[in-house]
Structures are given as structure tokens and as C-alpha cells.
Amino acid sequence: MTTIPTTTTPASTLSRETGSRRTTMRYTLLLHYPEATAEALGAEALAEGQRAFASYAATLHAAGVLIAGEVLQPSVASTTVRMRDGALQVQDGPFADSKDQLGGTIVIDVPDLDAAIEWARQAPPVHWGAVEIRPGAVHTVDGAWTPSA
């Protein structure tokens, strides 16, 4: 079994803007909201949501804090796998059946939790769902596990 290193101490990284050292922490914003089909939302609401997400991503990118972002397909497109008694179980659909589903993720690199909260406050789903902020423990760089903080 491989042990994955963890840490909660912020890492010193080279600033993309100035070339100087800065202390940062990676956070993942988990975007939870009720699922609806495009037809149920309507063309206007869908277009408004797409504009809001595009503007939010552009703002994160311009601030130099965006690591990655992804909006997920509906939960009905998911497949859940589990190992039970040595046998792989494959289930169509999400792990949990609930009103709100994980609809996407945003990974940001910011100085602290207060900064992550401010970015989460600006996330479009905060108006119709919830944004969970979770600090990163490790991530991969060139195939190797690296402490995120």
C-alpha cells in the first residue's frame, strides 16, 4: 500500500506575476446544485448560467488563482464502482441520490481560507445551491504525489 503524504502547512511558491515567493494553499470549490434539464431550465436561464460561469472563470484566471475548473455532466451519466467481498460492483448512476448533486469543481491557489471564501462567494452556484470549500492535501505533478500546501 502506498502512503500519500499530507500536510496543512502552506507551501512557498513562485508568483506567476512578480517572480517573487508567496505562500499559498490549494482549495477545491465543490459546486452543488439541483440538477435540471436544459428544457426545464429554459434557453434564457441556461444562457444566463453559461455567461455567469464564463465570467467567473475569466475573473479567476485574470486574478491568477485558477488551477482547473470543470462542470460535470448530469449525475445520470455517472457510474459508481465499489469493491465488495473481492468483487467489483458497477452501478449506473450517482453514489448518492439527493436533490443537490455535485455539478462541478474549481481548483484555486490562494493565500488562505478567507481568500477561498471570497472566491466561493462569487461562484454562480452560491445563488441556487451551495459551494463547499475543501483544502487540498496532495495533488500530482508529473505523476508524483506532491503536498498541496
Side-chain angles (χ1 to χ4, degrees):
M1 173 183 256
T2 302
T3 302
I4 299 172
T6 62
T7 181
T8 56
T9 306
S12 178
T13 59
L14 195 59
S15 169
R16 289 171 271 214
E17 297 81 29
T18 66
S20 62
R21 291 271 176 219
R22 65 186 173 113
T23 301
T24 61
M25 177 71 186
R26 288 171 68 115
Y27 290 89
T28 298
L29 308 181
L30 303 165
L31 312 175
H32 300 273
Y33 43 87
E35 289 186 321
T37 64
E39 295 78 26
L41 283 174
E44 186 176 320
L46 183 61
E48 181 180 330
Q50 290 171 334
R51 283 191 300 273
F53 269 103
S55 175
Y56 182 59
T59 301
L60 290 167
H61 178 73
V65 300
L66 182 63
I67 302 296
E70 188 163 18
V71 173
L72 303 175
Q73 292 190 21
S75 63
V76 298
S78 66
T79 301
T80 302
V81 297
R82 295 178 177 89
M83 188 66 73
R84 297 292 185 260
D85 298 322
L88 182 65
Q89 294 179 347
V90 179
Q91 171 189 322
D92 290 338
F95 172 72
D97 186 20
S98 66
K99 179 184 171 205
D100 289 350
Q101 292 290 332
L102 177 61
T105 61
I106 302 283
V107 180
I108 57 176
D109 187 14
V110 296
D112 53 34
L113 179 58
D114 289 337
I117 290 170
E118 179 55 29
W119 286 112
R121 182 188 70 77
Q122 298 175 53
V126 80
H127 299 286
W128 61 78
V131 177
E132 177 183 346
I133 303 168
R134 193 171 303 180
V138 295
H139 63 281
T140 59
V141 175
D142 297 325
W145 288 107
T146 303
S148 292

